[in-house]
Amino acid sequence: MSVIEGKNPTSLRMKFDLGLDELTQKTKVKSKTYSNIKPEATSQDIFDVASALEHLQEFTVLEIAKIENTTLA
């Protein structure tokens, strides 16, 4: 029996540097997730959108991640 893959909407997660925590001396990180991106969107398309959003943010972007979700049957 072969596996059938079903593509679900993709998500874009951006992680931001909020600065140093004075108590722990570790970088504080906040993430923002944009959901329901069409599964057909290319990685380049998602990166381009993230780059445009980056200029609208208050904090420095640490990471841009594309999160794919696939259902197996």
Side-chain angles (χ1 to χ4, degrees):
M1 182 169 154
S2 63
V3 175
I4 300 170
E5 290 186 12
K7 295 283 185 177
N8 296 326
T10 301
S11 298
L12 161 66
R13 183 179 64 222
M14 298 175 72
K15 288 187 179 181
F16 302 97
D17 180 352
L18 277 79
L20 208 57
D21 185 313
E22 294 178 13
L23 217 64
T24 63
Q25 297 301 311
K26 294 183 179 180
T27 302
K28 292 189 282 184
V29 177
K30 179 179 180 178
S31 65
K32 173 71 177 165
T33 302
Y34 299 90
S35 301
N36 295 322
I37 298 172
K38 292 181 180 180
E40 298 82 27
T42 66
S43 295
Q44 184 64 54
D45 292 337
I46 294 171
F47 183 81
D48 291 344
V49 169
S51 295
L53 289 171
E54 181 176 8
H55 298 295
L56 302 173
Q57 305 302 315
E58 178 181 356
F59 301 106
T60 304
V61 174
L62 293 174
E63 177 182 274
I64 298 169
K66 175 183 174 184
I67 303 167
E68 295 179 311
N69 186 352
T70 304
T71 303
L72 303 176

